Amino acid sequence: MLVEAEGMKGFLDKEGNIIVPVKYAEIEKFDKVRKNWALVKDRKDKLGFIDKSGKEVIPAIYDNIEAFIKKKATVADSN
């Protein structure tokens, strides 16, 4: 279940346990870009991916993430 607090989003399971901490400004639908992953944006507009267990499989540290091709993605960091 999607939850929001102070403009940030996260997920709880059916029992109310935290799956994804309420720390993302945006969470895309799972499976939209890659199976079992969701694109996330943090409060600093950095992008990454989480899996359905809430684990950051790609940390939210990138300015841009482009489509996956052959299981690889192009990422950009302005630093």
Side-chain angles (χ1 to χ4, degrees):
M1 167 178 19
L2 179 67
V3 293
E4 291 188 53
E6 298 179 17
M8 304 306 279
K9 299 175 183 176
F11 282 102
L12 301 178
D13 65 14
K14 292 178 184 178
E15 289 79 38
N17 299 309
I18 297 171
I19 297 173
V20 177
V22 180
K23 67 177 193 175
Y24 297 106
E26 293 181 30
I27 303 175
E28 294 271 333
K29 289 184 177 181
F30 282 95
D31 306 323
K32 188 174 179 180
V33 176
R34 184 170 178 167
K35 187 172 175 76
N36 297 317
W37 287 17
L39 181 68
V40 294
K41 182 187 287 188
D42 71 8
R43 67 180 71 232
K44 295 179 183 178
D45 290 334
K46 298 294 184 175
L47 303 171
F49 283 95
I50 59 171
D51 66 14
K52 289 187 175 183
S53 73
K55 177 183 173 192
E56 278 193 346
V57 290
I58 296 179
I61 60 172
Y62 298 101
D63 296 312
N64 188 28
I65 297 178
E66 295 186 18
F68 278 83
I69 300 172
K70 296 184 181 180
K71 297 186 180 184
K72 294 183 181 180
T74 302
V75 297
D77 183 2
S78 63
N79 295 328

